[in-house]
Amino acid sequence: MFNHNLRNLITGLALALVATSLTAQTDQHFDGKSWWDYVKVLADDNMEGRDTGSPGLARAQAYVIEQLKKDGIQPAGEKGFYQPIKFVSRRMDESQSSLALSSNGKETPLVLGDDAILSTRIDAAPKVDAPLVFAGYGLRIPEMHIDDLAGLDVKGKVLVIFSGSPAELSAALSAHYQSTLQRAKLLKETGALGYIVIPNPASMDIPWERIKLSRLHPSMGYADKSIDESGPAQISVVFNPASAPKLFEGTGHTFDEIAALGKDRKPLPHFPLNLEVHAKQTLIKQNVESSNLIGKIVGSDPKLKNEYVVMSAHLDHLGIGEPINGDKIYNGAMDNGSGSALLLDMAAAIPKLKPKRSVLLIWVTGEEKGLLGSHYFAAHPTVPMKSMVADINTDMFLPIYPMKILTVYGLAESDLGDDVTAAAKKEGVTVQPDPEPLRNLFIRSDQYSFIKDGIPAIAMKVGFEKGSPEEKLNQQWLHDRYHAPSDDLSQPVDLQAAGKYEDIIRDLTLEVANDAKRPEWKPDSFFRRFADQQGK
Ligand SMILES: [Zn+2]
């Protein structure tokens, strides 16, 4: 529980009356202990890794609601705190599926898992036979004069794409144009049937051996196809970079050459391949139900209380999967027990600080299946879309070493970047933009579902400087624990860093909730267009 003492609280409230909103909140400090107590419950083996639609996630949700009731948070879902969502899960039946390449009538079968994975993120077609075209990064961005499809005939063909982007693209743009929705748009525009994506070896979070292990875990889509973003894709293959040379044989190009250019974010060539792909895809489908949880802290200002600062975090994780070192429960302590626990700390702390605007707390489901819960909420918001002034998302903020610097995703994009810079400064913490733009983190969590609807959003992590020991720890963590059973309660965490991070998030939230002016996208932000489209 949030560790407050009455004296600090009274001092805090008194100061709030005479000083700026930021001054008041920092009288109290989170100590990381209340946070860790919540993580211990949410990432317990009993929660079975909180897979979307699982009994384990339902138990974790019941626990969250119990805490919200204690804290006096009002329900703001459709059925109390719940916003139910109908999903369809998809799993590839590999015994009834196959993948092969052919050249001049000679067929080379591929080994599913070793050479490539048939992705179930899309509603894959039973049979695909089509020529292949190498489309570089697979990007078409007219305003930047980038067109990886220029001069290529791709209608009825499958695009081979190297994941990444040229250096002239900012992290935000790079992330945006590699999103599912943008890839789907490209297929619609060009009539291409789907894609084979080769992960950039320079920015792979997870080694292939572990990607391969998780391939038979079900993906999910919505039962309601009208909000599905995967578009017309009939096939989506993830190709092992180690097997990628097979794709380039006889083209005059090599995969090593492509990978070297991609590592340095240099422009890539694009050209037809001398190959066809032959895929047989057999999906096993099942109906699944899960829910977002939504609660609200009602604002104290009669005029501003009809506007909302959204705080979001995904509660779902990967559930039970292939065992690694004898452990099959993917507990998701950091991903995202950590952010879910932070929201519980905020639910206990923020009501006492009487924010002027209301605060909406959302624990979304289906994040690990492709941001499904947050996208559903954006399509079916339980408060008017225009009343949401900002989204502050927390996903896997990784307090695994001391907090010296805060990495902010979307730092230069909106006024929220200035707000968080000020909040961090009060804690003696400096901020930096994303040091790893190739990992696309700005679109890889739930803030993106808000950004697409024009709402300024931000996300952050306990940061590291390039070349520091912390960078090594971070990389080691991703390699060993990210989406592995070892992201559990036995890992070392830095409680002080977690507390400091929570102080910053709370102060940022209060600042946004109390500022008479709502945050805006910066005039030169790429993402401003989504707000303009909403007519704000
Ligand atoms: Zn995750």
Side-chain angles (χ1 to χ4, degrees):
M1 290 273 117
F2 178 55
N3 182 18
H4 63 83
N5 70 51
L6 196 58
R7 198 175 57 87
N8 277 353
L9 185 64
I10 291 166
T11 316
L13 290 175
L15 272 172
L17 296 173
V18 294
T20 69
S21 57
L22 259 183
T23 318
Q25 307 106 35
T26 45
D27 273 42
Q28 301 169 0
H29 288 287
F30 288 101
D31 57 9
K33 286 187 196 131
S34 54
W35 168 77
W36 186 241
D37 283 344
Y38 286 131
V39 176
K40 280 197 277 197
V41 177
L42 298 173
D44 189 276
D45 276 357
N46 171 50
M47 300 300 183
E48 295 178 321
R50 308 184 307 277
D51 197 7
T52 298
S54 71
L57 178 60
R59 278 195 290 277
Q61 291 181 325
Y63 173 77
V64 167
I65 290 174
E66 216 177 280
Q67 307 312 307
L68 295 182
K69 286 182 176 164
K70 274 189 214 159
D71 296 328
I73 304 297
Q74 293 193 10
E78 286 159 6
K79 288 185 178 167
F81 288 100
Y82 292 101
Q83 178 179 46
I85 311 174
K86 289 191 165 70
F87 296 109
V88 177
S89 79
R90 297 184 287 250
R91 197 164 62 78
M92 194 62 68
D93 179 356
E94 284 193 353
S95 68
Q96 302 295 316
S97 304
S98 61
L99 186 66
L101 300 172
S102 77
S103 178
N104 304 321
K106 192 177 150 267
E107 187 157 300
T108 315
L110 296 171
V111 179
L112 293 176
D114 289 341
D115 291 316
I117 291 166
L118 293 169
S119 170
T120 49
R121 278 284 166 99
I122 59 151
D123 197 1
K127 207 167 175 300
V128 177
D129 299 287
L132 294 179
V133 175
F134 182 63
Y137 298 113
L139 298 172
R140 177 181 273 177
I141 312 173
E143 68 208 85
M144 300 285 295
H145 308 288
I146 291 173
D147 188 357
D148 284 328
L149 278 72
L152 290 178
D153 170 20
V154 301
K155 195 170 175 352
K157 298 181 182 170
V158 169
L159 307 176
V160 176
I161 292 170
F162 183 83
S163 71
S165 60
E168 70 242 50
L169 283 194
S170 67
L173 269 181
S174 166
H176 173 74
Y177 277 102
Q178 292 181 71
S179 67
T180 310
L181 184 61
Q182 292 305 312
R183 295 272 199 233
K185 268 189 187 155
L186 194 68
L187 297 185
K188 266 183 214 151
E189 278 169 30
T190 61
L193 300 182
Y195 28 75
I196 292 176
V197 176
I198 311 168
N200 188 335
S203 59
M204 277 171 78
D205 286 349
I206 299 181
W208 184 263
E209 282 309 305
R210 283 216 279 116
I211 298 179
K212 171 185 157 180
L213 264 185
S214 63
R215 74 189 187 280
L216 298 178
H217 203 79
S219 300
M220 284 185 199
Y222 302 105
D224 174 6
K225 287 252 178 193
S226 70
I227 56 168
D228 210 288
E229 292 195 312
S230 59
Q234 296 183 21
I235 182 168
S236 168
V237 173
V238 186
F239 214 89
N240 184 352
S243 299
K246 294 182 195 193
L247 292 165
F248 296 92
E249 274 167 25
T251 61
H253 296 274
T254 65
F255 178 64
D256 284 348
E257 163 207 336
I258 303 291
L261 291 168
K263 182 169 190 268
D264 295 336
R265 304 188 70 198
K266 292 194 173 138
L268 294 183
H270 29 95
F271 46 87
L273 298 169
N274 305 322
L275 291 171
E276 279 194 19
V277 65
H278 303 287
K280 191 178 159 221
Q281 311 182 96
T282 306
L283 289 175
I284 300 168
K285 298 186 188 182
Q286 233 174 348
N287 293 326
V288 173
E289 284 193 34
S290 189
S291 302
N292 293 327
L293 297 185
I294 310 165
K296 72 173 166 187
I297 299 164
V298 179
S300 61
D301 182 294
K303 273 199 227 119
L304 292 178
K305 73 174 187 187
N306 293 321
E307 293 184 344
Y308 297 85
V309 181
V310 179
M311 303 187 83
S312 52
H314 74 87
L315 185 56
D316 67 291
H317 190 54
L318 302 169
I320 293 172
E322 288 299 313
I324 297 179
N325 298 327
D327 187 358
K328 62 181 180 166
I329 300 177
Y330 287 61
N331 302 77
M334 293 301 107
D335 186 13
N336 184 30
S338 67
S340 296
L342 174 139
L343 249 61
L344 283 175
D345 262 340
M346 297 302 149
I350 289 180
K352 302 177 183 102
L353 299 165
K354 306 258 181 278
K356 291 182 180 174
R357 284 194 178 84
S358 296
V359 175
L360 206 62
L361 300 162
I362 312 182
W363 286 261
V364 299
T365 188
E367 189 273 349
E368 301 287 9
K369 313 291 183 202
L371 315 185
L372 295 181
S374 56
H375 178 63
Y376 185 90
F377 174 79
H380 302 277
T382 58
V383 301
M385 189 56 88
K386 283 191 175 177
S387 69
M388 291 183 258
V389 306
D391 172 53
I392 300 165
N393 189 57
T394 305
D395 186 0
M396 214 175 90
F397 64 96
L398 287 188
I400 54 172
Y401 36 74
M403 165 82 94
K404 294 181 198 154
I405 192 162
L406 186 72
T407 294
V408 181
Y409 305 99
L411 181 62
E413 306 298 333
S414 76
D415 297 339
L416 296 173
D418 305 323
D419 294 334
V420 75
T421 303
K425 198 174 171 195
K426 285 195 65 70
E427 295 296 330
V429 173
T430 53
V431 300
Q432 68 176 1
D434 184 0
E436 307 167 292
L438 286 174
R439 288 180 59 216
N440 290 340
L441 291 181
F442 199 44
I443 66 158
R444 275 174 55 187
S445 190
D446 295 299
Q447 67 272 8
Y448 204 60
S449 297
F450 294 89
I451 292 168
K452 285 185 299 182
D453 276 303
I455 299 167
I458 201 153
M460 52 225 104
K461 277 185 189 187
V462 178
F464 57 81
E465 278 169 290
K466 279 282 191 195
S468 65
E470 287 83 10
E471 180 180 29
K472 279 221 176 68
L473 276 173
N474 191 78
Q475 281 168 350
Q476 196 70 45
W477 190 92
L478 290 172
H479 185 274
D480 296 344
R481 297 189 194 268
Y482 177 55
H483 283 197
S486 55
D487 176 11
D488 64 10
L489 296 170
S490 70
Q491 68 189 301
V493 289
D494 187 317
L495 293 185
Q496 248 185 337
K500 208 170 235 197
Y501 182 94
E502 290 196 301
D503 286 342
I504 295 170
I505 294 280
R506 176 203 51 207
D507 290 354
L508 167 65
T509 306
L510 264 284
E511 176 61 23
V512 179
N514 292 340
D515 190 345
K517 190 180 158 292
R518 30 191 308 171
E520 283 182 36
W521 293 101
K522 297 288 187 193
D524 59 351
S525 169
F526 167 81
F527 298 101
R528 191 182 181 93
R529 67 190 61 197
F530 301 117
D532 295 342
Q533 282 160 14
Q534 302 288 323
K536 278 186 200 156

